[in-house]
Amino acid sequence: MGQPIVALVGRPNVGKSTLFNRLVGQQRAVVDDRPGTTRDRLQGSCEWNGVYFTVVDTGGIEVLPERVVSGRRPAPDQVLAEDSAAFIPLIRAQAELAIADADAIVFLTDAGAGLTPADQAVADILRRTDKPIFVAANKAESPRVRQAAVEFYALGMGEVYPISALQGMGVADLLDELVEVLPASEEEEADDSVRLAIVGRPNVGKSSLLNRLLGQERAIVSPLPGTTRDAIDTRMEWEGTPITLIDTAGIRRRGKIERGVEKYSVLRALRAIQRADVALLVLDAVDGVTAQDAHVASFILDEWRGVVVLVNKWDAIEKDTYTMVEYSRVVRERLKFMDYVPVLFISALTGKRVERVIPQALAVHEASRYRLPTAELNRIVREAVARHQPPSKGGRRLKVYYVSQPGTRPPTFVFHVNDPDLVHFSYERYLENALRKAYPFPGTPLRLIFRPRRREDDR
């Protein structure tokens, strides 16, 4: 996407998630009055004064006294959410990584609580970066607390912005200054290559696949899960087409992350998916399709990216027991919401069928840019509706007047109807399948939008 990133950081329970929800305009972060509720970084898109940026909510940076680190019970004012205490090192490291990736940082404090040693410790971490930092003294609803916020000038980090994330007070002034320092997001547009992100859970062979595709040891290959810590970009050409391969760290489910450096790389992997034209979702043939694989797939779908499923380590499978046909059925059953994706069975170790990966990914990329002619599009939909009328609801039946395709990547279809509330999920899927029958759109999600017909549409 190429949008600038703004990280919200600070010690636990200063209101980062509340500010995040206000900026993105929806209740996406869990808000709780207990410290340590937010464990993982959460990101969303924000716009202010015509400037678009990605805002990242982080878990609090908690600097623990030695007695807590050694396992002794913390004092009451140091207690985190009951099930979050074990995640303190992870929360801190996630926040530090967000700082490293951010273009600007909003350092939240609690104006009502005043300047604490924990705030000082967070400031020490932030002083290691040369990124623009905005100190926001939150929970400053009353005039008395707003006046007390001047205490945070003692941090020596410039202007202090008294705000109330809950009520919105002072947030506009903060954003006015923030967007002034954000860089323009034009770098990605100059890149004419097709970007392929190699993603998947740890230890499925992503780096081995990258090396096999490149024919050289570009990435460190190791049997240990998560050797790759950052997203790595590598340029190559395929029959005259410029390609950028993005290798990423393994993505694990929330709550399944253990101590160690690899667990801090999820944001960069997700950012790689955002930057990609097509995601290469690598599975382990020996392990089969796991819940973690489905979790990674959901990240790809959330970003509306094309995808090719690669079942790696196929050389280690007994072919008499697991045939391609049967295994394909299992893959599509487990990833039923991705039943349109191509499935390739490969071995990065031996090179078996690896030569098919990039041509298939390019076919998916091409499909994502395909535009159906308007006349053909409406013929397809009319015939589909004639074959299977939508069910009635409350005595009313859905009517589809006409369809247009205003965009691609992903292909986006706008259905002008009498009442969008009459569209049932199953009928939407039926219409999507009708479009795919006319043009397969391999590996490409389709976005269907239903809008009520306006008077102007009849003119």
Side-chain angles (χ1 to χ4, degrees):
M1 291 170 58
Q3 290 185 356
I5 288 182
V6 174
L8 308 180
V9 302
R11 63 180 178 83
N13 206 30
V14 292
K16 295 182 297 298
S17 295
T18 303
L19 180 58
F20 175 87
N21 289 336
R22 177 166 291 278
L23 295 180
V24 302
Q26 53 185 311
Q27 198 75 10
R28 287 187 54 195
V30 177
V31 179
D32 193 297
D33 60 3
R34 294 174 300 170
T37 299
T38 303
R39 293 175 182 163
D40 297 323
R41 279 163 299 174
L42 186 66
Q43 58 184 354
S45 187
C46 181
E47 180 271 333
W48 188 258
N49 291 344
V51 177
Y52 289 85
F53 58 93
T54 296
V55 59
V56 179
D57 178 25
T58 71
I61 301 177
E62 182 73 353
V63 183
L64 295 177
E66 182 60 35
R67 60 194 178 85
V68 178
V69 175
S70 62
R72 288 190 285 275
R73 189 173 182 81
D77 62 345
Q78 295 164 333
V79 174
L80 296 179
E82 291 178 7
D83 58 349
S84 291
F87 289 83
I88 294 167
L90 171 58
I91 289 171
R92 174 173 174 158
Q94 286 278 17
E96 289 178 331
L97 182 58
I99 291 168
D101 280 355
D103 297 292
I105 297 158
V106 176
F107 173 20
L108 261 75
T109 62
D110 185 334
L115 183 59
T116 69
D119 293 320
Q120 293 278 12
V122 172
D124 289 341
I125 295 172
L126 293 177
R127 288 191 186 99
R128 302 171 194 166
T129 179
D130 57 358
K131 309 288 179 62
I133 298 172
F134 296 82
V135 179
N138 192 26
K139 307 182 185 180
E141 285 84 9
S142 72
R144 180 189 62 79
V145 176
R146 284 197 294 275
Q147 288 179 353
V150 299
E151 180 182 8
F152 292 96
Y153 280 100
L155 292 169
M157 305 186 79
E159 186 71 26
V160 175
Y161 298 85
I163 69 168
S164 170
L166 185 63
Q167 298 180 1
M169 186 210 75
V171 174
D173 293 334
L174 171 64
L175 290 176
D176 284 343
E177 298 298 324
L178 174 65
V179 296
E180 288 296 321
V181 305
L182 295 181
S185 52
E186 299 177 352
E187 322 150 5
E188 303 268 0
E189 296 176 9
D191 184 3
D192 62 346
S193 66
V194 179
R195 296 183 294 275
L196 309 179
I198 304 173
V199 299
R201 57 190 176 85
N203 207 29
V204 293
K206 298 184 298 298
S207 295
S208 297
L209 174 61
L210 173 67
N211 292 334
R212 178 65 67 172
L213 289 171
L214 294 172
Q216 58 180 312
E217 292 296 312
R218 170 62 179 84
I220 299 171
V221 179
S222 166
L224 299 175
T227 300
T228 304
R229 297 177 182 175
D230 301 329
I232 302 172
D233 288 10
T234 308
R235 293 295 294 262
M236 64 175 292
E237 262 198 20
W238 183 270
E239 297 182 355
T241 300
I243 303 285
T244 297
L245 294 174
I246 309 169
D247 186 26
T248 65
I251 304 175
R252 296 189 179 190
R253 286 188 302 167
R254 295 179 182 179
K256 295 297 184 183
I257 304 175
E258 300 173 359
R259 297 178 185 274
V261 179
E262 67 85 13
K263 63 179 175 287
Y264 309 139
S265 303
V266 175
L267 180 63
R268 286 179 180 167
L270 299 184
R271 198 174 186 182
I273 291 172
Q274 288 183 329
R275 293 169 49 221
D277 296 303
V278 179
L280 304 177
L281 174 55
V282 185
L283 312 182
D284 186 322
V286 178
D287 293 344
V289 183
T290 70
Q292 292 183 35
D293 295 321
H295 184 65
V296 178
S298 71
F299 283 130
I300 300 170
L301 284 182
D302 285 346
E303 297 298 332
W304 296 92
R305 293 299 183 261
V307 62
V308 179
V309 174
L310 304 177
V311 182
N312 191 29
K313 307 181 185 179
W314 191 242
D315 55 299
I317 295 296
E318 284 288 339
K319 304 305 184 297
D320 291 342
T321 307
Y322 296 93
T323 64
M324 283 188 186
V325 173
E326 174 61 17
Y327 209 106
S328 294
R329 185 192 65 77
V330 172
V331 168
R332 296 185 183 283
E333 182 179 301
R334 294 288 185 89
L335 303 179
K336 50 182 176 291
F337 53 94
M338 296 177 66
D339 57 357
Y340 53 84
V341 305
V343 180
L344 296 181
F345 296 86
I346 67 169
S347 170
L349 181 65
T350 67
K352 186 73 171 177
R353 300 188 192 86
V354 172
E355 76 281 355
R356 301 184 188 178
V357 171
I358 290 181
Q360 182 65 75
L362 292 178
V364 170
H365 177 59
E366 190 62 31
S368 72
R369 300 190 298 171
Y370 185 76
R371 189 182 294 273
L372 276 166
T374 302
E376 175 71 3
L377 174 60
N378 281 272
R379 181 191 64 78
I380 294 167
V381 172
R382 279 197 308 270
E383 292 178 357
V385 172
R387 285 193 303 270
H388 179 35
Q389 283 283 331
S392 59
K393 180 179 177 182
R396 301 180 64 214
R397 191 180 298 276
L398 176 72
K399 293 181 180 178
V400 180
Y401 298 113
Y402 70 96
V403 191
S404 59
Q405 186 185 352
T408 59
R409 301 178 64 188
T412 301
F413 302 94
V414 177
F415 290 71
H416 297 265
V417 300
N418 57 335
D419 184 356
D421 291 337
L422 297 174
V423 181
H424 190 272
F425 170 77
S426 61
Y427 200 74
E428 179 179 348
R429 178 57 60 90
Y430 167 73
L431 293 174
E432 177 180 336
N433 289 337
L435 293 173
R436 290 189 183 280
K437 188 174 181 181
Y439 184 81
F441 294 104
T444 301
L446 303 184
R447 179 182 279 154
L448 274 59
I449 300 172
F450 296 86
R451 290 180 180 164
R453 185 173 66 169
R454 301 168 299 177
R455 289 181 181 275
E456 308 90 81
D457 295 336
D458 295 326
R459 296 174 184 173

